[in-house]
Structure formats: C-alpha cells, structure tokens
Amino acid sequence: MASHASNLWVLLGLGIAGILLAAKKLKKTIREDFGAFVDKLLLLPPPQPAPPKAPHPLTGLSFAISDVFDVTGYVTGFGHPDWVKTHEAASSTCPVVSTLVEGGATCVGKTVVDELAFSISGENKHYESPTNPAAHDRIPGGACSGAAVAVATNAVDFALGIDTVGGVRVPAGYCGVLGFKSSHGAISNTGIIPVSSSLDSVGWFARDPNTLRRVGHVLLHLPFATQRNPRQIIVADDYFQLLKIPVDRITQVVTKSAEKLFGRQSLKHQNLESYFESKVPSLKEFTRTKAIANTKAPTSRLLANVMQLLQRHEFLQNHGDWINTVKPAIDPVISSQVCENAELTNEEIENLNAIRNQTRVAINSLLKDDSILVIPTMPTLPPKLGSKEIISEDYQNRASSLLSVASISGCCQVTVPLGRHEKCPVSVSFIGRHGGDRFLLDTVQTMYASLQENSSIVADPKSSKKTISQEESAEIAKEKGNQAFKEKQWQKAIGLYSEAIKLSENNATYYSNRAAAYLEIGSFLLAEEDCTKAIALDKKNVKAYLRRGTAREMLGEYKEAMDDFRHALVLEPNNKRASLSAERLRKAFYLDTLCESSPKMESKYYRCNGVLAFTKIGFPKLTFILNNGYRNSRSSSNQCEVRIRIKRGVNLAVRDINSSDPYVVVKMGKQKLKTRVINKDVNPEWNEDLTLSVTDPTLTVLLTVYDHDMFSKDDKMGDAEFEIKPYIEALKMHLDGLPSGTIVTTVQPCRRNCLAEESKVTWVDGKLVQDLVLRLRHVECGEVEAQLQWIDLPGSKGL
C-alpha cells in the first residue's frame, strides 16, 4: 500500500512539473510585445503650428514601420540577419515615413517581416515569428506580420507595410485588424527595399476606419472632397466558392449591411471567372507558353500563376546577385519558390505585362468610379503554426487566386475584419478601381459599424431571435456604443449611437453621446447639431450644453459657447468643467479684459453691431472677440477695385498628348479678363494680376481654365466660382495697426463653394488679403491658387 501511495505522489509531482514547464514555455513564447518589433526607435513630429492654424492631421498617433523602410542611421533588415551584415545604415529616411512624421505622427519602431519579405505565412526562423494576438496557436500572416501584430496589440495606432502578393492584406485578416493596400504607383516606393517592382504597393494597418482614412489622406495627399457612397456593391460569387468556411458567414454580413445603408438595388452579383475570360484575352496566349501546362485551368488560377511568376522573376532581378554572392541561409520552401520557373523570355514578360494592363482595364471598367468589388481575403482560417497546410498546393492555389486580383490589376484593396468563426478571425475584402483609394477609404468608413453589427448577429443567430422591444434594442445599441467609445473606436460608436437613435429618436442621451464621439473625430458641426437636438428633448441635459459649448468654441462661435457653459453652471453650479471653460473664454476673449490691458485699444474704436476677431500687439497668439463689435468711423463708397492675383495651377488636367497649354479667364458681371498662356505645363505659375471694378459686392467671380489650341477651339479644363463678399465684410471693419500676419476671418470649404481648403483673410503689411485655393469643377482634377487685394481708386471715398 505504501509503495502504491508513493507511486501516486511521484506521478502527481511529475504532472505538476510538466504543467509548470508548459506554462513557462508558453510565457516565453508570448513575449511582451508579442515579438512584433526588431528595433525600437523614436522619430518625433515637428512642433504644432501656432493657433489659429489647424494642428497636424496625425497629431497624437503613434506608428511602426515594417523592416523594409529606410530610416537614417539604421540598417534596413529585410527579414534576414545576413542582409543586415552585408548592408550599410540608410543615409536618408524613406519619404513615406517622413510624410507621416511631418503629418504629426510619432514613429516608435521597426517590425518583423517574413524572410526577404517574400512569403505570406508570417513565420521567420531568424527572428522568431510574431505571436498572433487573435489566435496564439495560429500563424499571423505575412509578409508584414510584425506590423499587423503591433496594431492588433495596441502597441501603436497604425503601422506601415509593403504588399506584393498579400503582405498587408493577409496579416490584417489573420490578426483581425484593418489592412489597406494602395493602388500600385499611388505612393512612392523610394526608400523601400523592392520585392517585385510591378507588384509592390505601400499599405498600412489600423484598428478603426477613421485612423485608416486619416493616414490614407496624408500618404495620398488627398485634398478636401465630399464623401460619396457606392452606387453598386458587386459580390464575386464564384470567388466565394474558394472559401473553406461557410460562405454565408461573410456574404450575409455584407448583404445585410449594403441593403441597410444603400438599398437592395445596390447589390449586384458577378461571375469574375467568365468576366476575366472575356476581358483579358492575353491569358489565352499565356496558356500556350511554357509557363503553364494545364490549358484548362480557370482564369483565377491563371492570374495567380501570373502573379507568382512576376514576383519570382523580379525578385531575382533585384536580389539574385546578392543571393549568389552571399549565399544566405534561406528557408527551403522560399528558396524552391524563388528558383522555380524564374527565368522568362522577353516574349513571356511582354505577355505578362499585357495581362496586367488588361486586368486593370477590366476591373476599372467593371467598377468605374462608384462601385466596390467584394471578395474573400483568404480561403481559410489562419493555419496552425508549423502545419503543412501552409505549404500545400491547395492552400497556395486558393490564396493566390484571391490575392492576385488586386496584385495583378494594381487596384486598391482593403481587408475588413468580421469578428470570429471557430475562435479565429475572419474578414472580407473590398476592391476599388485603380486610383480610387479615397472612395474605398470612404466606403469602409461608411460601412464599418454596420458590418460589425451584422457580423455579431450572423455569428450568434440565437441572439437575434430573442424578442425584445425597440427601446430595449436601443439601450443595447447605446451600451455597445459606450463600450466602443471607451475603446476609442469613434466611428463604431457613432454607428451604434445612430442605430439607437433610429430605434428611439426621442432619447436625448443618444444624441448627446453621439455628439461626444463626433467631437473626438473633429466633426464639430455635427456635434453641435446633435447637442441642440438633445437640449430640445431635455432642457436640463448638462452634458449636452457642455459638449455644444466645446463644439461652438472649436467652430469659433465664442459668445454662443460661453452662453452654453454658463447655462450648464446654472444647472450644476459646482461643475468644474463648465466653470473653467466659461472663465477661460471670459478672460481670453471679452472686451473688458482687453480694454483693461490695453487702454489705447478702447480709444481707437467705438461700439457698433458686429463681431471682430484678430490678434493684438502685446497679446501674442491670443484671439480677441470684440463683443457687439468695434470699428472706427469712415465714410463709405463703392467706387473701388479688387485685384485678383492668379498665382498658379496645381495638377491641371491633360488636354494635349502629355500636357496642356493653360490660361485662366476671370469673369464678374460683364467684365472679362484673362492671363497669358503657359505652354506645356499642368502645374503652371502665372503670378499675374487681374483687376476688376466692384460695383456690386454680391456678384460672384467665375474662374475658368482653358487649354490653348493653335488650330481648333480651346478646350475647357474646369471652372470654379467664389464670392468676394466675405472679403468685403472684412474690409468694412476698417482695421488699422494690426500686426502683419493677423488672421481676421476664415471661410471654410463646403458644398456651396469651390474651396479646396480653408481660406483666410489676413492683415499683411497694412493691407487685407485673402488667399484662395479653388478646386476646379466639371473636370477630373486640378486646383488654382489665387489671392484677393483691395484697391481704393484715387479720389474715391473707399468703403
């Protein structure tokens, strides 16, 4: 008996020891940063511009970069230690990275990439594979696995990667984050180690669509434009048959969201196989070359083969000499893929390029500029670490077929997470036409909240069958919105609060909460509108007054903002936020404080109706609002002129073979003036003054750009209208003695004007000038920069 008992104790001890060892091993496997980083660094953004200029667009965001982007003083590792040993530190920083830093973001480190950034598994034996935070026993996906993991673990707000054959899209889908592949050539690849030049596209990861969009606008240098909804959501039914998970798990989510947001008529179903077969005739020629033996292969497989051939061929062109010289230890799987059929004849290369061009034309023709193509991101759930599934022919064929559509066409694609299936992340991909990056980013932002909501319903259908009242459903949506708000997922919160409002439109809290989310993303007008609705429903809603006060302060409506803060104090006399805000505005903006500090100011002006905002000498960076207005007395007259300086054109449309010969015509009333012609330049600099007599300040000015033709009628290159009324109103203030550079007033871009960005009326060297950047209408692209200046005619009384 004693012997038997002792054996039990031995077995128990061995069991406990085994558990401890396993726990210790697991602890080592999941490192502090999940193995995402290879280098920590710090690239700080420049100082913020002084008010009233807007802060940098990416202020407060941190980001990481995949180890293929150059940073001054660091060796770009390319996922291989032998590459580090045989290369010098970069002498300059990649322009893409510099653009993000200059935009206000802070770069904190470099992240792991697959060996030579070649595969899509995310496994790298040289640096230890990053741990997939969404499923620890599954691969994170590659090539930019570390970047996806850094975003998924909240280590950074966004991360940069390079997408050749799925390097951003795959890890985004497997780690449960958003991943955007830009249109090929839309962002410069300078300072990035190339994998395959005709396939490489810059991409980035984010956890929410707002951050994804903000980064995209900075990288793509996108000007202000009204957001558009898609006309059609095109589902590639045959490509969904490549899935090894239930098709409905993804298609139902997309279908329900599209119907809810854009109507049932927006949905269209497409067989891509037959479409490509008819639109890409060079694929038939491809089957007759030595590159492929199976002439009956589907077009999806053929496109996958084209992608793989291009990747291998161009990779060896870029790095074959280094591999032959250094003879690095390369993973056998990657080595075999690189060497397989890598040599191509000139005829075969020409045919592959023809396929690329025809595929791009086919996708652009299908989508035009207002549709989105929907396909699966990957055919399976993330494979398990070390499994043979990753290298199986079936997995490679299915995955390459899905990934080749955007890679070969060069179109933009975004991976959107859709929750989980069998405890692993699942996703869907949206593809936009080549060059339609802004439209794709806008579509994701519009659909994201609805996609997440429907994903939850599809994943747990039992929950949707429970019968609950509309009020209860609204409260559930609100609570989900509150949780999303806590997690700083502003757009998701807005979508959930909007859903609550649809279910119960008379609840002030829902409007007030949505206003808080709008404030976080800088949508101050929408925040003010929601707060006003909340106050109409509940006159004692203190938070609504506080949030409306904040929105109005940011919009420059200082008196109204102070009224809101004071009203909040009436309702809650001990509210510190209201008290501090009201006191801050009183001290900073009200005339009493100004006059006490500067008696000369008071003697120079007398009281009248109106409001004036400017910066006074002795009060640096301080904007004053003169309550009820102040101006000095002068007589008025309308015998004056306005000088319009036409400075330059930016990215004007091409109307000749490769360029244009632009000139500008300005019309106001019956007056018509024009600039000189500048030959062969779509970014011309005129710096030419055109002077118009002003008899009616309410008239609009029409600016039209033409392309001069020698033997035919001049082609129109777009037009823009603008008003001089805001400038005239500033002139009527009769300012004098202000510091040069003082901003008197601003005009915001909106649907009613053609402004591409905020227009400022500024006091410069004793005169008022207004700078304008006008976006041209009725044309594919182009802006014109101009400046207004007033001229008093001799003997006139002025304004």
Side-chain angles (χ1 to χ4, degrees), residues 67-68 75-84 110 113 116 127 193:
D67 199 14
V68 294
V75 179
T76 309
F78 204 28
H80 203 294
D82 288 343
W83 186 276
V84 177
K110 286 192 169 192
V113 295
L116 304 178
Y127 294 101
I193 298 178

Side-chain angles (χ1 to χ4, degrees), residues 360-387:
R360 179 178 298 182
V361 171
I363 293 290
N364 285 357
S365 176
L366 177 67
L367 300 181
K368 299 182 172 59
D369 64 347
D370 56 4
S371 298
I372 295 296
L373 179 64
V374 184
I375 66 171
T377 306
M378 290 296 281
T380 68
L381 299 175
K384 290 188 175 182
L385 288 165
S387 70

Side-chain angles (χ1 to χ4, degrees), residues 6 27 52 99 102 166 185 202 256 284 410 425 463 468 476 479 482 538 576 585 663 731 752 780:
S6 63
K27 190 175 181 181
T99 298
E102 289 164 7
V202 173
K256 290 176 181 292
K284 294 178 181 178
S463 63
I468 55 176
I476 291 170
E479 290 302 323
N482 291 347
D538 180 6
K576 289 185 178 180
L585 285 174
Y663 66 93
L731 286 167
R752 298 187 300 277
E780 58 268 28

Side-chain angles (χ1 to χ4, degrees), residues 260-278:
K260 179 180 177 181
L261 294 169
F262 315 123
R264 186 170 295 179
Q265 76 284 350
S266 66
L267 281 166
K268 178 184 175 183
H269 296 270
Q270 178 74 47
N271 185 297
L272 276 188
E273 289 279 353
S274 57
Y275 181 78
F276 284 143
E277 191 173 351
S278 63

Side-chain angles (χ1 to χ4, degrees), residues 11-25:
L11 289 172
L12 182 61
L14 289 172
I16 294 171
I19 293 169
L20 291 173
L21 284 171
K24 189 176 181 181
K25 184 178 179 181

Side-chain angles (χ1 to χ4, degrees), residues 6 41 80 87 89 121 128 140 166 220 332 408 552 593 622 629 658:
S6 63
L41 51 87
H80 203 294
H87 287 79
S121 70
E128 294 188 45
L220 295 159
I408 291 298
R552 286 175 167 177
T593 305
L622 184 60
N658 293 313

Side-chain angles (χ1 to χ4, degrees), residues 27-54:
K27 190 175 181 181
K28 283 184 178 179
T29 302
I30 305 175
R31 288 155 286 171
E32 184 181 355
D33 62 0
F34 282 71
F37 289 88
V38 290
D39 266 319
K40 293 293 180 74
L41 51 87
L42 193 63
L43 300 180
L44 295 172
Q48 292 293 336
K53 289 186 178 180

